[in-house]
Amino acid sequence: MAELHIIGQILGARGFPQNSVFCKWGIHAGGAWRLLSGSREGQTQIDAPQAGEMAYWSHPIDLHYTTKGLQGWPKLHLQVLHQDSFGRCQLYGYGYCHIPSSAGHHRLQCVTWCPEGSWQEQLTQSFVGGGPQLRSPDLIYSGADRYRLQTVAMGMVELELTVILRHFDRHGVEC
Amino acid sequence: MLMATSNPSVFLLMVNGQIETANFPEYDDLYCKYCFVYGHDWAPTSGLEEGISQIASKGRESSHDLVWNFPLEITFKSTNPFGWPQIVVSVYGPDTFGNDVVRGYGAVHIPLTPGRHTRTIPMFVPESTSRLQKLTSWLMGRRPEFTDPKVVAQGEGREVTRVHSQGFVTLQFNIVTKDMKKLGYDTGSAESAAGPSGERQPYVT
């Protein structure tokens, strides 16, 4: 059985309409993969930076997987949310990225998108906030049912991950 | 430590480095503390696990960074990369009344690949959760702090914290590992060994 370690941080986000954002994250992997240790999902702190446009989370990630097959290589999916001064949360973006399959240090930039409502919905959104959300969050990391969606580009989430592989070469797998 | 073992069960991670500089545009006369957070399978074998730096103030002439130039030397052993050590840095300095208050917490994983690495980590302070607390902390001159700085190296329980990022600390690492390859771990060190100053290794296919 081959082993995969993913160690690093969700650094933070930039390019969102406002600061004071946080992120809910999770890892999705195929059936052949088993998580031995580490947490599969989490939520970062909320950062309101004093200067600059980047919000920093420095959220640690440390995961240990074993696998019997290559299908369903782990994916990290994210939801970026904004918390306003009244404590209300609003969705700012969905995004996902594959965990790199080559060993070593990787700096990733995960693009995000947000569902866009009709113009009536956009109008009410500009006054009272809120906005459409995905009913099933699986859509963040699957391409199956996307064609009905209208979306708009949002900011970028930055990650720094180091990947350690063990015994993949024993099975002749070149990553 | 350098004995040749044919069948190792532990690997070693040697960290030589320094807490080099800090950039806090709004504050001066700061010092820092560091400590390490690591998993159950890890144990330090030599070196200092904690330290406190001198109080440094900004350069008057060219640079506006604080210089600590504070050494880090530690060696760990482990059987499993899970729980890879993180360094937690916290920065303190006097407020207008001369009381020591925290100016930032930050954490980063020790680099996993051998070679020389520079890490610039964002530093943040927790915020009061309610307006009343904000007012009383402003009146009393006491800022919210983490009772244990090690929480910044943990992923759990962070959803309740609101923070305010306000500076950066730059760390320098030189990493040596022993027996990781023998234990079957591929950290992809072939390409990272060729740093900006180092020579590029010839490709072997």
Side-chain angles (χ1 to χ4, degrees):
Chain A
M1 286 239 277
E3 292 175 49
L4 170 72
H5 286 271
I6 306 155
I7 298 173
Q9 279 189 345
I10 307 177
L11 284 180
R14 66 168 86 239
F16 285 94
Q18 285 189 62
N19 282 314
S20 219
V21 287
F22 65 99
C23 168
K24 288 185 186 178
W25 62 272
I27 293 258
H28 177 83
W33 296 75
R34 206 156 66 84
L35 184 69
L36 287 187
S37 36
S39 45
R40 196 189 300 270
E41 56 186 16
Q43 187 175 322
T44 68
Q45 61 199 15
I46 307 161
D47 183 27
Q50 197 162 60
E53 60 144 17
M54 176 120 178
Y56 289 101
W57 299 321
S58 303
H59 191 94
I61 287 182
D62 194 338
L63 295 158
H64 183 187
Y65 274 102
T66 67
T67 182
K68 287 178 276 189
L70 289 176
Q71 274 74 40
W73 195 278
K75 289 185 264 203
L76 184 91
H77 52 91
L78 308 156
Q79 284 182 52
V80 179
L81 296 113
H82 164 70
Q83 194 186 52
D84 67 12
S85 51
F86 303 107
R88 300 179 303 180
C89 294
Q90 184 186 347
L91 176 77
Y92 263 11
Y94 296 113
Y96 96 93
C97 57
H98 276 106
I99 301 298
S101 54
S102 61
H105 185 74
H106 303 270
R107 193 173 174 121
L108 308 173
Q109 290 186 320
C110 179
V111 290
T112 64
W113 51 272
C114 194
E116 198 176 40
S118 61
W119 69 265
Q120 293 99 326
E121 283 171 322
Q122 285 178 44
L123 191 72
T124 45
Q125 191 180 345
S126 62
F127 286 108
V128 295
Q133 293 184 19
L134 292 183
R135 194 175 294 154
S136 64
D138 310 352
L139 225 58
I140 302 172
Y141 50 84
S142 86
D145 247 345
R146 292 255 191 120
Y147 63 96
R148 281 174 296 192
L149 270 175
Q150 168 84 44
T151 66
V152 58
M154 295 306 265
M156 197 104 83
V157 175
E158 294 201 10
L159 304 121
E160 247 181 29
L161 299 176
T162 308
V163 172
I164 298 181
L165 304 170
R166 191 189 196 194
H167 296 333
F168 276 86
D169 49 352
R170 196 180 273 183
H171 302 280
V173 178
E174 287 134 6
C175 303
Chain B
M1 175 184 154
L2 287 173
M3 272 202 307
T5 45
S6 53
N7 249 338
S9 61
V10 297
F11 63 87
L12 292 174
L13 167 72
M14 186 172 84
V15 185
N16 288 317
Q18 60 169 293
I19 306 175
E20 205 175 48
T21 57
N23 183 305
F24 283 84
E26 306 208 0
Y27 306 115
D28 206 355
D29 296 319
L30 304 176
Y31 66 94
C32 74
K33 294 185 193 175
Y34 78 84
C35 60
F36 292 94
V37 175
Y38 43 85
H40 296 301
D41 301 329
W42 288 78
T45 58
S46 74
L48 293 174
E49 264 193 84
E50 290 179 330
I52 302 186
S53 77
Q54 75 275 25
I55 300 170
S57 54
K58 286 176 188 169
R60 304 280 186 276
E61 306 290 323
S62 55
S63 118
H64 295 289
D65 287 358
L66 304 154
V67 174
W68 283 314
N69 192 221
F70 192 70
L72 301 170
E73 279 164 29
I74 191 160
T75 306
F76 291 97
K77 68 171 181 188
S78 179
T79 51
N80 181 359
F82 179 74
W84 196 277
Q86 299 178 65
I87 182 167
V88 175
V89 180
S90 44
V91 174
Y92 302 84
D95 65 0
T96 40
F97 305 105
N99 304 315
D100 263 0
V101 290
V102 68
R103 294 304 187 198
Y105 297 99
V108 72
H109 281 102
I110 304 293
L112 285 86
T113 51
R116 187 166 187 273
H117 306 267
T118 305
R119 292 279 186 273
T120 298
I121 58 173
M123 304 296 285
F124 48 82
V125 288
E127 267 186 4
S128 311
T129 38
S130 73
R131 275 160 212 252
L132 180 68
Q133 268 180 4
K134 259 182 209 160
L135 182 74
T136 48
S137 74
W138 183 78
L139 286 172
M140 310 284 280
R142 284 175 57 89
R143 295 202 37 87
E145 290 184 19
F146 292 128
T147 45
D148 184 3
K150 290 185 176 177
V151 295
V152 300
Q154 280 149 20
E156 292 87 35
R158 304 226 347 190
E159 55 269 29
V160 288
T161 35
R162 278 187 80 103
V163 302
H164 202 71
S165 58
Q166 53 187 17
F168 297 92
V169 169
T170 301
L171 303 146
Q172 216 48 266
F173 294 102
N174 291 287
I175 303 297
V176 179
T177 57
K178 180 183 178 320
D179 290 338
M180 278 201 76
K181 196 148 259 172
K182 266 189 198 159
L183 285 165
Y185 291 109
D186 176 8
T187 56
S189 50
E191 64 245 275
S192 69
S197 57
E199 278 179 5
R200 203 157 255 289
Q201 306 229 322
Y203 286 104
V204 185
T205 45

